[in-house]
Amino acid sequence: ILPAKMSARVLPQTHFSPLSDVAHRHHEPGRSARGICSLQTYTVGSGAPVPRWLKLVLALPRYTLRSSHTFLAVYMITYYNGLGASLGFLSFFVAAARSVDVVSDPFMGWLTDSTTSRMGRRRPYLLVAPPIYGLALLLHVLPPRLPEGRPISLWFGISYIAFFLCDTAFSVPYQALSQELTADQRERASIFFYQIALSFLGLLVTVALPVVVARVAPLRTAYGTAVGSIVGIYAVGVWGTVASVRERTHGAGPAGADGA
């Protein structure tokens, strides 16, 4: 299981102005917990308690990140080998993909730290994450019918490296935003608890789901079902976070202004 990507530099522990007049006038504990139903958003560094619904939404991507990594590790080597891929090629590409992380992780941390937009530094990447992440995972798990040997081995290698590049591109800003959300250590610990709990749930469900579906459907369908569940939950969590959280903007108006 891969460690969480924590390359990006988190914001200093300063409090920013709340997003709206409602958030500004109602700073007492529990007020922001009305959440999704009242279409309120949570401003990064506002100092308000993080509502439980937001902790749950923010934890959903961790459900998919751990489950997707575990799913690939448990099933894909055997699957591609059965399709005719060379074990030597598979081992090489797995090592190559993990080696690329040595460069891609710090680069993505620098890039998201340097981003200036009306949406902030992290949310622009999260906004486009689900379709790209989902497509990369789908192309790797459900390859086209290719000849045995080098063609299917190359497909594994290219799609595997592409998936982990996408994983880095979206995991780094996501993890950074999780840490920047609040400076309160108890709230951070609570957020981390939600994320860890859902990540282990995702691991168990995603490993078991293909086994269950394969009893009544072809193996390719079982893998497609697992990928569909991963991508669906990922999209809900990432887009829910984008819609529910506001960052301080950088280079988009007066210092301390809130993004769109």
Side-chain angles (χ1 to χ4, degrees):
I1 301 174
L2 300 179
K5 298 176 182 295
M6 298 299 296
S7 301
R9 171 175 52 83
V10 298
L11 287 173
Q13 296 185 359
T14 55
H15 291 175
F16 308 138
S17 58
L19 166 69
S20 62
D21 290 336
V22 174
H24 182 73
R25 291 194 302 265
H26 303 284
H27 238 22
E28 62 268 24
R31 180 66 67 174
S32 60
R34 301 183 188 277
I36 294 174
C37 296
S38 60
L39 300 179
Q40 290 184 17
T41 56
Y42 186 91
T43 303
V44 170
S46 65
V50 181
R52 290 192 181 95
W53 65 263
L54 180 54
K55 294 175 183 177
L56 179 60
V57 169
L58 190 66
L60 287 176
R62 280 293 293 271
Y63 172 102
T64 62
L65 293 176
R66 172 164 291 195
S67 62
S68 62
H69 295 167
T70 305
F71 176 81
L72 298 184
V74 170
Y75 292 111
M76 285 298 102
I77 298 295
T78 303
Y79 180 57
Y80 270 88
N81 185 234
L83 294 176
S86 164
L87 281 176
F89 271 112
L90 299 182
S91 301
F92 169 78
F93 283 123
V94 169
R98 308 321 304 142
S99 299
V100 169
D101 272 350
V102 175
V103 177
S104 62
D105 278 17
F107 172 77
M108 192 61 213
W110 168 82
L111 182 62
T112 185
D113 283 344
S114 304
T115 297
T116 57
S117 77
R118 294 186 62 84
M119 292 183 65
R121 300 191 296 177
R122 320 302 183 192
R123 292 196 304 152
Y125 300 98
L126 299 181
L127 182 63
V128 301
I132 300 175
Y133 184 91
L135 179 62
L137 182 60
L138 183 67
L139 290 175
H140 181 68
V141 173
L142 301 178
R145 301 189 183 279
L146 295 171
E148 296 183 4
R150 183 170 296 179
I152 189 65
S153 299
L154 288 176
W155 181 274
F156 172 90
I158 294 171
S159 61
Y160 190 82
I161 293 173
F163 168 74
F164 276 100
L165 286 174
C166 292
D167 181 76
T168 294
F170 305 130
S171 295
V172 169
Y174 162 73
Q175 297 286 8
L177 183 61
S178 298
Q179 290 297 308
E180 292 171 346
L181 199 62
T182 177
D184 187 284
Q185 293 302 318
R186 289 186 178 181
E187 289 290 88
R188 285 185 172 183
S190 179
I191 291 170
F192 183 70
F193 170 79
Y194 275 77
Q195 290 178 332
I196 291 300
L198 282 192
S199 71
F200 276 104
L201 176 63
L203 185 154
L204 295 174
V205 171
T206 306
V207 169
L209 186 59
V211 177
V212 174
V213 177
R215 293 178 178 273
V216 296
L219 187 61
R220 189 177 177 90
T221 301
Y223 290 162
T225 301
V227 170
S229 69
I230 291 172
V231 174
I233 294 173
Y234 183 75
V236 171
V238 170
W239 280 335
T241 299
V242 171
S244 304
V245 173
R246 295 294 178 98
E247 295 183 77
R248 184 180 69 170
T249 58
H250 293 256
D258 291 317

